[in-house]
């Protein structure tokens, strides 16, 4: 029983809202076979579609829809950090995204847990021509893209 608890506590949880969602462009390469649990979830922020083919999320108070993915191995963060052009040793302004922990909720609004989320600085969103998505949902409609969560 103690071994099972250790495995659960070692899980890495990531809230994804873009190309890493099941069925989107980067899910197969980065998540398939590595995800031990996935469920629809929400968090608070502000979501934008970027003309380059993937979304960006900033801090905010709007409901953002995505998935809470649980991974068995913490090493997944290194691969996701590379995809998101995030290096924790660089200043935020030099990263495309930055990673932070946020509270994530189920579809009834009840807290699920805290998870890693990749956010973009609002100034970078503006530079990239981000278009606000007030409904909090992004879909690539199967289009291949690079970057994003």
């Amino acid at each position: 029983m103690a071994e099972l608890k250790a495995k659960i506590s070692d899980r890495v949880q990531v809230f994804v809202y873009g190309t890493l969602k099941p069925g989107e462009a980067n899910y197969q390469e980065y998540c398939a076979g590595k995800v031990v649990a996935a469920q629809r979830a929400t968090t608070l922020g502000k979501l934008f579609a970027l003309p380059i083919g993937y979304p960006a999320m900033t801090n905010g108070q709007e409901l953002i829809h995505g998935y809470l993915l649980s991974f068995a191995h913490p090493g997944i963060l290194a691969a996701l950090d590379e995809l998101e052009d995030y290096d924790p040793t660089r200043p935020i302004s030099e990263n495309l995204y930055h990673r932070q922990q946020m509270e994530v909720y189920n579809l009834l609004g009840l807290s699920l847990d805290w998870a890693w989320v990749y956010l973009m600085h609002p100034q970078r969103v503006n530079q990239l021509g981000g278009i606000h998505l007030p409904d909090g949902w992004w879909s690539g409609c199967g289009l291949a893209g690079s970057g994003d969560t």
Side-chain angles (χ1 to χ4, degrees), residues 2-137:
E3 184 178 316
L4 179 60
K5 281 186 178 182
K7 286 183 180 178
I8 290 172
S9 66
D10 287 344
R11 285 188 180 180
V12 172
Q13 298 194 112
V14 181
F15 176 81
V16 298
Y17 54 86
T19 67
L20 291 170
K21 293 186 305 189
E24 294 291 348
N26 284 320
Y27 182 84
Q28 194 64 32
E29 181 177 348
Y30 290 89
C31 304
K34 299 173 185 121
V35 170
V36 294
Q39 75 179 93
R40 288 284 311 268
T42 64
T43 194
L44 295 177
K46 192 170 182 181
L47 191 63
F48 298 86
L50 301 177
I52 46 185
Y54 52 90
M57 182 177 141
T58 64
N59 284 310
Q61 294 301 311
E62 298 174 2
L63 201 60
I64 307 302
H65 299 272
Y67 285 81
L68 178 62
L69 303 182
S70 296
F71 297 90
H73 302 289
I76 189 66
L77 289 177
L80 298 181
D81 287 352
E82 186 174 329
L83 172 68
E84 307 296 359
D85 190 21
Y86 169 73
D87 180 341
T89 65
R90 292 189 306 223
I92 288 177
S93 62
E94 293 180 19
N95 287 312
L96 182 60
Y97 290 89
H98 61 280
R99 178 168 41 90
Q100 74 177 50
Q101 289 200 318
M102 297 180 71
E103 193 167 11
V104 177
Y105 306 90
N106 68 16
L107 298 182
L108 299 174
L110 302 173
S111 180
L112 291 171
D113 206 345
W114 288 76
W116 290 110
V117 182
Y118 289 88
L119 302 173
M120 189 176 282
H121 192 277
Q123 183 178 3
R124 178 69 60 97
V125 172
N126 289 337
Q127 290 170 344
L128 294 174
I131 300 162
H132 182 223
L133 299 173
D135 66 353
W137 180 259

